[in-house]
């Protein structure tokens, strides 16, 4: 997912109640160059049957890059069902012009045993590799910081990808929320292809109790240190998409989402994206 400078993008989870056309228009109105579409929004693309060719036309008409389809769930529980899902999503990604497919691990407390989780990860990556390469699609591995997740650490993903010599096929998602929950310090900038940004402002929450529903837009009250994480990523050489992915209903139901996103973008620009000496 090459880029010459970091840029803001928009995940459809920022506005899940908007049609794909309205969502794309919102991104354009904010001056964004990239969007992420999802396959988990009921009544909306992709689940509503929107053809991939129509999705491509909508994006191209607005000059937008479709950065990813989000996501192949439980990707590291590889079986016949998962392979069928993967083939379908990869074909859709190819045909709609998406650059990548996000890969989300099992997140229900299973597959966590030491040795088991690493083996499951390698099996899945090995199986996915030819499917992705044939379609010209990047696989974006997204570790989740939840304690019940089967892939919490980016270091394990990096190790598995390296063991398969598959760095050209797989990249990491650095999610600022999940990075905080995982407790992992290392950023793995060189392996990162996409950054998901969201904040948490509820002061009563312990980090281990944070959930998707607490994820809001980043502002000065953010407890996840998005500014510090983004600054460190840029200092390390990251030059790709910074994609807003808030899950909180308060964001989805706001009276003026465009204004709220503009304010968050301004906060990040002024505090994390200033030129460095």
């Amino acid at each position: 997912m090459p880029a010459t400078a970091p840029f803001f993008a928009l995940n459809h989870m920022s506005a899940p109640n908007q049609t794909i056309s309205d969502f794309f228009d919102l991104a354009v109105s904010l001056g964004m160059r990239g969007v992420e579409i999802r396959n988990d929004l009921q009544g909306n693309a992709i689940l509503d049957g929107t053809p991939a060719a129509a999705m491509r036309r909508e994006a191209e008409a607005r000059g937008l890059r479709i950065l990813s389809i989000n996501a192949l769930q439980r990707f590291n529980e590889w079986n016949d069902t998962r392979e069928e899902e993967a083939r379908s999503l990869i074909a859709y990604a190819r045909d709609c012009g998406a650059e990548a497919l996000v890969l989300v691990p099992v997140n229900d407390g299973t597959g966590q045993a030491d040795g088991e989780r690493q083996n499951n990860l390698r099996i899945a990556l090995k199986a996915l590799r030819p499917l992705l390469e044939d379609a010209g699609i990047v696989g974006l591995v997204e570790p989740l910081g939840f304690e019940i997740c089967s892939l919490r650490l980016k270091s394990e993903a990096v190790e598995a990808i390296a063991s398969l010599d598959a760095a050209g096929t797989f990249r990491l998602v650095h999610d600022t929320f999940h990075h905080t929950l995982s407790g992992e310090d290392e950023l793995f900038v060189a392996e990162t292809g996409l950054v998901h940004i969201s904040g948490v402002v509820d002061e009563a929450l312990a980090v281990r109790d944070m959930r998707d529903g607490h994820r809001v837009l980043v502002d000065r009250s953010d407890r996840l240190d998005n500014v510090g994480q983004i600054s460190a990523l840029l200092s390390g050489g990251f030059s790709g998409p910074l994609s807003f992915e808030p899950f909180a209903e308060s964001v989805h139901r706001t009276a003026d989402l465009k204004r709220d996103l503009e304010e968050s973008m301004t906060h990040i620009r002024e505090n994390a994206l200033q030129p460095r000496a």
Side-chain angles (χ1 to χ4, degrees):
M1 302 176 66
T4 58
F7 61 94
F8 288 117
L10 203 61
N11 188 297
H12 203 167
M13 187 52 72
S14 300
N17 300 317
Q18 292 190 6
T19 67
I20 200 70
S21 296
D22 288 344
F23 167 65
F24 284 179
D25 286 342
L26 174 63
V28 171
S29 74
L30 291 162
M32 292 180 175
R33 295 156 43 193
V35 290
E36 294 183 87
I37 59 177
R38 303 184 68 94
N39 65 323
D40 59 355
L41 299 181
Q42 292 294 334
N44 213 325
I46 302 169
L47 291 183
D48 68 354
T50 300
M55 189 81 72
R56 179 191 286 266
R57 287 194 300 271
E58 292 264 12
E60 289 179 347
R62 295 166 175 81
L64 288 170
R65 292 166 56 187
I66 299 180
L67 301 173
S68 81
I69 292 178
N70 192 334
L72 175 64
Q73 300 287 341
R74 304 180 71 90
F75 85 93
N76 56 338
E77 182 185 62
W78 195 257
N79 51 38
D80 290 345
T81 298
R82 203 71 59 243
E83 180 177 352
E84 182 178 351
E85 292 171 347
R87 287 183 181 276
S88 176
L89 281 172
I90 290 169
Y92 194 99
R94 177 197 63 214
D95 294 345
C96 80
E99 300 172 18
L101 174 63
V102 176
L103 307 172
V104 173
V106 173
N107 186 46
D108 62 7
T110 63
Q112 290 188 296
D114 193 31
E116 177 190 15
R117 66 177 188 274
Q118 294 91 342
N119 187 53
N120 287 345
L121 176 59
R122 285 192 295 270
I123 289 171
L125 294 178
K126 187 175 181 180
L128 279 162
R129 184 178 185 179
L131 306 181
L132 292 163
E133 290 179 348
D134 287 348
I137 302 298
V138 172
L140 289 173
V141 180
E142 183 170 19
L144 306 183
F146 299 126
E147 292 180 357
I148 61 171
C149 187
S150 61
L151 177 59
R152 299 188 70 205
L153 303 178
K154 287 180 284 183
S155 57
E156 291 190 358
V158 169
E159 181 179 351
I161 292 167
S163 73
L164 298 173
D165 193 24
T169 304
F170 297 101
R171 309 282 286 163
L172 299 180
V173 176
H174 176 103
D175 186 296
T176 58
F177 172 81
H178 288 295
H179 181 74
T180 299
L181 267 61
S182 74
E184 189 172 37
D185 293 327
E186 192 166 351
L187 295 175
F188 299 100
V189 178
E191 292 82 11
T192 298
L194 174 70
V195 175
H196 281 159
I197 54 179
S198 61
V200 174
V201 298
D202 187 339
E203 296 181 356
L205 281 172
V207 171
R208 67 180 299 172
D209 295 327
M210 293 178 180
R211 296 294 182 265
D212 281 337
H214 300 122
R215 297 171 64 175
V216 296
L217 295 174
V218 178
D219 61 19
R220 62 173 55 89
S221 299
D222 175 40
R223 294 182 54 197
L224 305 181
D225 190 25
N226 272 264
V227 164
Q229 290 188 50
I230 294 169
S231 296
L233 287 162
L234 301 187
S235 295
F238 180 74
S239 61
L242 305 171
S243 184
F244 286 95
E245 193 189 32
F247 282 74
E249 286 291 326
S250 60
V251 176
H252 302 163
R253 295 177 179 174
T254 182
D256 194 339
L257 179 58
K258 180 175 183 289
R259 178 202 63 200
D260 295 347
L261 282 161
E262 287 174 335
E263 291 177 354
S264 188
M265 291 164 66
T266 296
H267 173 72
I268 294 169
R269 283 194 186 102
E270 292 179 349
N271 293 281
L273 303 187
Q274 292 297 323
R276 298 174 297 280

